[in-house]
Amino acid sequence: MEILDFNEKATVLVVDDTPDNLALMSALLKETYKVKVANRGDRGLQIAASAAPPDLILLDVMMPDIDGYEVCRRLKTDPRTADIPVIFLTARTELEDEQRGLALGAVDYITKPISPPILLARVATQLSLKSSADFLRSKNDFLRAEVERRTRDLEAVQDVTILALASLAETRDAETGKHILRTQRYVKVLAESLRAHPRFTDFLTDQNIKVLFKSAPLHDIGKVGIPDRILLKPGRFEPEEFEIMKSHTLLGRDAIQLAENWLGTPVEFLTIAKEIALYHQEKWDGSGYPEALSGDCIPVSARLMAIADVYDALISRRVYKERMSHEQAVKIIVEGRATHFDPDMVDAFVRIQDEFRRIAERFPDSADDLQKKIEFLAQAVAVDA
């Protein structure tokens, strides 16, 4: 959108099928404005929609082929020309004719014979109004673009911060960074498959699914606080060791809460991140931890994360175990229906299991990933010893 600059002449397009009228209007306007003329309605439409559109159109009503009313209607329905002010110049003097022209979007209706001072005054007024309107539109467009840019920048900072924190956590256990990428995508596709389900439709909005995707990588952030001798232990935990391991859910929630406290205001994606970090080890039958919640008392976000986390743990090779096949993992998830997992979520998982498989295939752990993890953990264990 170009804002009218009064240091340059504005352009006025005159559309009239009578050569004498075109000559008269050109002579009247040329000292003040650049003048373009068209002797047919279709030609006027072409000029108006060109790369150099006029700033204002003076439009005759009675023309062959396409009359002025139809030309005005087309101008106002075309986004390229809708903002160009139109002034009707016509010999029609009936009130109904004027009402029709204004209803079509014209800004003024001047009857012939033309009074030059009146015409010039009204043209000047409409060009001034257009300039002001263009300025406001341009300003609003700039502000809108700036808000969008800053929003994108803020989201990018959030995303990088989350992934950096999540990556820090995964360096301390047997998982690789691909686990983060896979699980957040599992959560997203599972949530999308459940959004129309009556139990979940209120929560699984577009915005909340976006937040779930953003928050999922923080589910194990609390592992940063677990001692290496426990976190890196390849065998089964002793009861007291398992109690310490279970505390990673509380540590994760508390770390996110601390960050939110520093900000001084609740943050939507951190609220869901806290739910996921604290409750993703809860089980549908109440046998999970840290609070032994059951059923719908477990937040939806954590129930989604539970399936995503367990599936990925099963199909992934670790330092201490070989990977299971997709089919074996699906069987175990199904066996956990209504005990470990929300039954409706398991049913949805079964329906979209091929999407889980495709995500796993898209973000595989390479042999190099695993070797680097083995070397890192060996060093960590040696230091801890």
Side-chain angles (χ1 to χ4, degrees):
M1 178 192 312
E2 293 186 5
I3 299 174
L4 186 59
D5 183 355
F6 284 105
N7 292 322
E8 296 184 4
K9 288 184 176 182
T11 300
V12 177
L13 170 62
V14 183
V15 184
D16 196 308
D17 65 316
T18 304
D20 288 345
N21 289 339
L22 292 177
L24 175 62
M25 297 308 299
S26 295
L28 183 61
L29 297 166
K30 68 180 182 179
E31 293 299 322
T32 309
Y33 307 107
K34 295 177 183 177
V35 181
K36 295 183 179 181
V37 298
N39 60 2
R40 303 188 316 276
D42 57 350
R43 178 57 183 157
L45 290 169
Q46 291 173 359
I47 295 173
S50 68
D55 298 297
L56 182 141
I57 299 173
L58 296 174
L59 181 60
D60 185 27
V61 171
M62 295 181 290
M63 295 185 293
D65 300 327
I66 305 176
D67 68 15
Y69 293 134
E70 177 61 17
V71 171
C72 186
R73 187 192 68 78
R74 295 188 191 183
L75 288 168
K76 295 305 172 182
T77 56
D78 187 337
R80 298 172 298 174
T81 58
D83 294 327
I84 302 174
V86 174
I87 297 177
F88 277 115
L89 300 179
T90 179
R92 291 189 173 184
T93 59
E94 296 298 325
L95 179 60
E96 292 79 6
D97 295 321
E98 183 173 354
Q99 289 175 332
R100 182 182 178 188
L102 296 175
L104 286 168
V107 295
D108 207 342
Y109 194 96
I110 302 176
T111 57
K112 298 176 181 178
I114 300 299
S115 167
I118 291 176
L119 175 69
L120 291 173
R122 291 187 177 182
V123 167
T125 296
Q126 294 303 328
L127 286 172
S128 178
L129 291 173
K130 179 180 185 296
S131 181
S132 298
D134 286 350
F135 175 79
L136 290 175
R137 275 193 294 270
S138 179
K139 191 71 172 177
N140 288 338
D141 289 345
F142 171 78
L143 292 174
R144 187 181 303 109
E146 185 67 9
V147 169
E148 290 174 355
R149 182 188 68 80
R150 295 192 180 190
T151 300
R152 288 194 301 270
D153 289 347
L154 177 60
E155 289 183 349
V157 170
Q158 289 178 347
D159 293 345
V160 169
T161 302
I162 290 169
L163 291 176
L165 289 171
S167 296
L168 176 63
E170 65 86 15
T171 60
R172 298 206 57 249
D173 65 13
E175 296 167 347
T176 73
K178 300 291 180 59
H179 170 74
I180 295 170
L181 300 178
R182 291 191 296 265
T183 51
Q184 69 176 167
R185 285 161 175 79
Y186 298 149
V187 167
K188 181 181 179 182
V189 297
L190 186 56
E192 289 174 339
S193 73
L194 287 162
R195 67 192 313 162
H197 194 290
R199 287 183 58 215
F200 307 110
T201 186
D202 289 342
F203 177 75
L204 294 178
T205 61
D206 288 344
Q207 177 62 19
N208 277 351
I209 291 175
K210 180 180 179 180
V211 173
L212 283 166
F213 181 81
K214 188 187 295 287
S215 305
L218 293 177
H219 65 282
D220 275 339
I221 187 68
K223 287 184 177 179
V224 171
I226 304 300
D228 286 343
R229 62 183 175 82
I230 296 174
L231 186 65
L232 307 181
K233 184 177 180 179
R236 294 179 64 86
F237 294 127
E238 296 299 327
E240 65 274 12
E241 293 174 331
F242 187 51
E243 288 303 311
I244 295 173
M245 184 63 189
K246 285 163 39 174
S247 71
H248 82 275
T249 56
L250 293 164
L251 292 171
R253 187 276 312 273
D254 291 346
I256 298 170
Q257 183 63 61
L258 181 60
E260 196 170 38
N261 291 344
W262 284 341
L263 288 174
T265 184
V267 180
E268 183 181 24
F269 84 90
L270 289 181
T271 299
I272 290 182
K274 286 185 294 185
E275 291 179 353
I276 291 175
L278 182 61
Y279 296 121
H280 71 282
Q281 294 291 351
E282 299 285 4
K283 296 182 179 181
W284 183 256
D285 62 4
S287 63
Y289 63 87
E291 297 179 10
L293 300 181
S294 64
D296 287 328
C297 291
I298 307 168
V300 173
S301 58
R303 281 179 266 159
L304 292 166
M305 190 72 235
I307 291 179
D309 198 30
V310 171
Y311 173 81
D312 198 66
L314 293 172
I315 60 105
S316 299
R317 185 184 172 197
R318 295 287 183 258
V319 175
Y320 53 84
K321 78 171 189 70
E322 291 298 319
R323 65 183 298 274
M324 286 186 182
S325 69
H326 169 79
E327 290 73 20
Q328 289 173 308
V330 171
K331 183 174 183 293
I332 290 174
I333 297 291
V334 171
E335 289 172 351
R337 185 183 187 278
T339 54
H340 190 157
F341 307 112
D342 183 319
D344 288 329
M345 289 188 181
V346 171
D347 294 343
F349 164 77
V350 171
R351 290 194 301 271
I352 65 165
Q353 60 175 287
D354 287 342
E355 293 187 52
F356 272 61
R357 188 205 300 266
R358 283 191 289 271
I359 291 168
E361 291 172 349
R362 182 182 173 192
F363 299 97
D365 292 324
S366 67
D368 185 56
D369 290 334
L370 191 61
Q371 183 58 39
K372 288 180 180 178
K373 178 63 69 172
I374 291 172
E375 294 172 357
F376 175 83
L377 297 181
Q379 293 174 359
V381 170
V383 172
D384 193 55

